[in-house]
Amino acid sequence: MEQAMTLPADIPTPVFVLDVARLRKNLETAKRVREEAGCKVLLATKAFAMPAAFPVMTDYLDGTTASGEHEAIMGHESFGKEVHVYSPAYTEDEVRRLTKIAEHIYFNSAEQLARFGDIARDAGAHVGLRVNPGYSNATLGGDLYDPCAPGSRFGEVPAKLDEVDWSGVDIFHVHALCESLADGSAGLIQHVADKFGQYIEQVSAVNFGGGHFINKPGYDVDVLIEAIKAFKARFGVDVILEPGAGLVVNTGELYATVLALHWNEMDLAILDASASTHMPDVLEVPYRPDIVGAGQPGEKPNTYRLGGKTCMTGDVIGDYSFHKPLQPGDQLVFTDQMHYSFVKTNTFNGTPLANLAIRWEDGRVEQVSHFGYEEFRRRLGR
Ligand SMILES: Cc1ncc(COP(=O)(O)O)c(C=O)c1O
């Protein structure tokens, strides 16, 4: 494993490296779900969008689902296959443009559906309605990552479903999970069957959203497959899943370099990768990413607090211990950095973006982006 993780000397850090062999293994799980359960599986590009890797993914998946127009264009241009799109709110112009690239358009409320449903339908799109099923199972971050938390803006509430003109709806959509294991997936499917049967009988497909962590150790894929099969047998509808994280969990790393050592009541190391700019979820979720060969603070002889170069005091990745004292130039490898990582990076403080690279199955590492000053400057206008 450590051998396979070596970064070629000509690839500068910080860089996210996708491992295609591990990705393919994850995609095999998706394929098994598709084939054995007889459902569609889409990639949620909000979690992972690396077009250079899409050719590996297209054989295993039915298409992409986007969070809005730009992701939809990218899915259409770079992935091909089906394009689904859901956004909590659209403008009319956006819906009209989306009908040219997405054959499946999902609305967040009865109000959005009433305003724009006909535009989508007249253009030939399948229409979806997101429903807030009132089912909480998110294993990450409490209410912050629970789409069914009190006051959530996501999905039409059950009390209003009788007001919906279901003759204009093809797909009943729920998204309620986050990094959930199979009990969450099966629980959601059962909950929808129990509570919303009268509406399911009026549509042709049900989309059970994302958050199915199908490649996480401990996820029992057979439980998901059986739940989908039972649902399909009961209602005779198509079933769609749209995971993001679950397709790419544990498929790549972020490589960083120690730039400087510092001391202020404890040993500190400043890296060329930063929580604020390269791993914002470290601060937002929050969580502490693992580093290859590092331990908890105090576990190994040399403990450091690792932080980035930005001016934000809280730009701290975490406290870690190492066998040997760190030196400027040492490389650190943060694991499991493919989902909700590089899709969320920013250039605060003019910090260079981390590049993207792919380790192909023959071991070759290809750098697929070369971000520079231009990325930073372009976003600041003329
Ligand atoms: C509507 C919808 N679908 C799919 C996903 C993908 O979820 P995950 O990456 O957790 O599988 C999300 C994530 O927020 C979402 O909001």
Side-chain angles (χ1 to χ4, degrees), residues 56-118:
V56 177
M57 308 182 83
T58 50
D59 281 352
Y60 295 89
L61 302 173
D62 295 279
T64 53
T65 186
S67 327
E69 188 177 0
H70 288 178
E71 274 188 11
I73 296 171
M74 191 245 336
H76 172 71
E77 284 180 356
S78 304
F79 199 99
K81 305 191 95 171
E82 291 183 7
V83 177
H84 297 231
V85 59
Y86 155 79
S87 174
Y90 302 103
T91 64
E92 181 176 331
D93 286 347
E94 189 181 8
V95 174
R96 289 192 189 282
R97 290 192 300 269
L98 279 169
T99 58
K100 309 220 164 37
I101 47 175
E103 335 69 33
H104 299 78
I105 303 180
Y106 298 71
F107 297 97
N108 188 54
S109 61
E111 184 269 341
Q112 286 264 299
L113 177 70
R115 267 164 71 199
F116 303 134
D118 284 349

Side-chain angles (χ1 to χ4, degrees), residues 228-299:
I228 296 172
K229 279 163 70 176
F231 188 90
K232 287 185 65 176
R234 176 161 166 196
F235 293 104
V237 290
D238 292 334
V239 166
I240 304 163
L241 304 179
E242 48 180 31
L247 296 178
V248 295
V249 60
N250 285 321
T251 60
E253 287 71 42
L254 171 63
Y255 290 74
T257 301
V258 176
L259 299 179
L261 300 172
H262 198 58
W263 190 90
N264 183 354
E265 299 187 14
M266 66 183 298
D267 285 313
L268 304 159
I270 300 169
L271 312 184
D272 61 359
S274 132
S276 300
T277 60
H278 302 120
M279 293 182 277
D281 266 7
V282 165
L283 303 178
E284 209 175 300
V285 172
Y287 79 103
R288 175 184 176 277
D290 284 337
I291 297 177
V292 175
Q296 293 295 329
E299 189 182 328

Side-chain angles (χ1 to χ4, degrees), residues 282-358:
V282 165
L283 303 178
E284 209 175 300
V285 172
Y287 79 103
R288 175 184 176 277
D290 284 337
I291 297 177
V292 175
Q296 293 295 329
E299 189 182 328
K300 299 185 181 197
N302 305 282
T303 294
Y304 296 84
R305 176 160 297 170
L306 306 181
K309 287 200 295 178
T310 73
C311 63
M312 193 189 146
T313 309
D315 183 3
V316 169
I317 301 165
D319 295 351
Y320 299 83
S321 65
F322 300 87
H323 270 305
K324 288 199 224 149
L326 291 178
Q327 301 290 340
D330 283 353
Q331 203 171 80
L332 301 180
V333 184
F334 292 92
T335 61
D336 198 14
Q337 288 300 315
M338 283 297 115
H339 51 95
Y340 300 104
S341 54
F342 60 86
V343 289
K344 296 183 93 173
T345 51
N346 65 76
T347 59
F348 181 49
N349 280 204
T351 305
L353 291 175
N355 273 309
L356 306 180
I358 298 179

Side-chain angles (χ1 to χ4, degrees), residues 43-48 65-67 86 130 145 147 154 173-180 207-213 241-247 339-340:
L43 164 68
T45 49
K46 69 182 71 186
F48 173 88
T65 186
S67 327
Y86 155 79
R130 179 166 175 176
Y145 288 89
F154 301 128
H173 180 221
V174 291
H175 168 74
L177 307 178
C178 182
E179 301 201 354
S180 298
N207 183 329
F208 286 107
H212 311 271
F213 223 14
L241 304 179
E242 48 180 31
L247 296 178
H339 51 95
Y340 300 104

